[in-house]
Amino acid sequence: TVAIAQNPAAGTWTKGNVTVTLSYSNIPSGYVMQYKLGTGNWTAYSSALTISENNTVVTARLYNASVNDEVSVSSKTIANIDKVAPDITNMKVTLTATENTITAVASGATDSLSGLSKYQYSLNNSTWQDSGTFSGIKSGTQTTVYARAVDKVGNVSGSISNKGTTSSIGAVTITQSPAAGTWTKGNVTVTLSHAAVSGYTLQYKIGTGAWTTYSSALTITDNNTTVYGRMYNATLADEGNSAVSKTIANIDKVAPVTPTSVSISVGTNSVTATATGSSDTLSGLSKYQYSLNNSTWQDSGTFSGIKS
């Protein structure tokens, strides 16, 4: 029979064409080598054939037209051409997220010829990678991940997409002692807290000061001081939605205004004093105190047991 060889070899899938060559040693006199493709016409063989369609049947023979005689007939089906991209009809993309990472997993694509090889992923539908993990995304960011299927000869499907959002960091907690609403004439202790997040540092600033890494409780000495807190990722310049602020507004280190007058009523053995005219703009005026000797003070303005 006529020998039929192919390149790439049988069993090796290709997304290109297959080259087929026919050969026969010492063709008898009066005979020529011919071929036909499928049910086509017989044609004299002169050079290698280019097969572009899968499952093409190549038939070869030696033929003597004078006596209408064919011998050495052989045939071969070229069955390793795959020019069809994978089918993504049932393909889907599942997303999972952390604070700075989106991970995509595609499934459901099929390929009936060379077979499915892998999935590829992209954040912008132009730069593709085999891994479905994308890092370095700011927290709380909505991202569109694209996925496509690739078969074993490199045919690439169209893409589908899914939207996902990186995890939110959540706000920093600021607490104070004494509690808000409780006035003090001393300092206020402020603490910041947040669960640890990989890549992020807990920071604070006071008023218009610089951001500083938080390590221990803050001592606030001045009324109406604003304390800011955040979780910060320096690599991504990201504070997410963690930033908060609190104004410490219950410190009163200012004494009331000195009373403007003290009225006195006198009894046989007592004196009663009544002060007026003081005020306090912060915590507010609580009371007046009185003393006969400017050292021992009492809340009552009445002093008894005085000689007449």
Side-chain angles (χ1 to χ4, degrees):
T1 57
V2 174
I4 303 175
Q6 70 178 83
N7 184 30
T12 302
W13 283 91
T14 179
K15 65 176 181 179
N17 299 324
V18 172
T19 300
V20 171
T21 54
L22 309 179
S23 60
Y24 190 94
S25 299
N26 301 319
I27 298 175
S29 177
Y31 287 81
V32 295
M33 187 160 49
Q34 294 181 330
Y35 73 93
K36 68 176 179 177
L37 303 180
T39 58
N41 296 321
W42 287 104
T43 304
Y45 177 78
S46 59
S47 60
L49 312 176
T50 299
I51 308 301
S52 59
E53 300 293 335
N54 196 47
N55 293 323
T56 296
V57 178
V58 178
T59 305
R61 70 178 181 179
L62 297 180
Y63 184 67
N64 186 319
S66 299
V67 293
N68 189 27
D69 182 34
E70 70 173 9
V71 294
S72 304
V73 178
S74 60
S75 66
K76 188 172 190 177
T77 300
I78 308 304
N80 53 355
I81 299 173
D82 181 359
K83 296 183 178 183
V84 181
D87 183 355
I88 59 172
T89 303
N90 297 315
M91 182 174 158
K92 64 179 182 179
V93 182
T94 302
L95 303 181
T96 57
T98 61
E99 286 80 8
N100 303 122
T101 301
I102 289 280
T103 299
V105 177
S107 61
T110 57
D111 190 273
S112 61
L113 293 175
S114 61
L116 193 67
S117 170
K118 61 185 178 182
Y119 293 97
Q120 292 183 323
Y121 304 89
S122 173
L123 282 183
N124 54 19
N125 206 23
S126 62
T127 302
W128 293 88
Q129 62 184 45
D130 293 346
S131 169
T133 298
F134 298 90
S135 303
I137 305 170
K138 291 185 176 182
S139 62
T141 301
Q142 186 181 75
T143 302
T144 301
V145 179
Y146 298 83
R148 66 187 184 184
V150 183
D151 65 19
K152 291 180 180 179
V153 294
N155 292 310
V156 178
S157 73
S159 65
I160 64 172
S161 65
N162 195 4
K163 291 183 178 181
T165 302
T166 50
S167 301
S168 172
I169 296 174
V172 170
T173 299
I174 300 178
T175 57
Q176 67 178 83
S177 178
T182 302
W183 283 91
T184 179
K185 66 178 181 178
N187 299 324
V188 173
T189 300
V190 172
T191 56
L192 281 66
S193 61
H194 195 285
V197 180
S198 177
Y200 288 79
T201 301
L202 179 58
Q203 295 182 332
Y204 75 93
K205 72 175 180 176
I206 298 175
T208 57
W211 286 103
T212 304
T213 298
Y214 176 81
S215 59
S216 59
L218 312 175
T219 299
I220 306 302
T221 60
D222 296 320
N223 194 45
N224 292 325
T225 296
T226 301
V227 177
Y228 300 84
R230 70 178 182 179
M231 296 292 287
Y232 189 65
N233 184 316
T235 302
L236 302 178
D238 179 38
E239 64 180 27
N241 61 344
S242 67
V244 295
S245 64
K246 188 170 189 177
T247 299
I248 308 303
N250 52 355
I251 299 174
D252 184 357
K253 296 183 179 183
V254 181
V257 173
T258 301
T260 57
S261 66
V262 179
S263 61
I264 296 176
S265 61
V266 178
T268 303
N269 299 114
S270 65
V271 172
T272 299
T274 303
T276 59
S278 182
S279 62
D280 190 275
T281 59
L282 291 175
S283 59
L285 193 65
S286 170
K287 61 188 176 182
Y288 291 97
Q289 289 183 328
Y290 304 87
S291 173
L292 282 182
N293 55 18
N294 203 26
S295 62
T296 302
W297 292 85
Q298 63 185 43
D299 293 346
S300 169
T302 299
F303 298 89
S304 302
I306 304 171
K307 290 181 179 183
S308 60

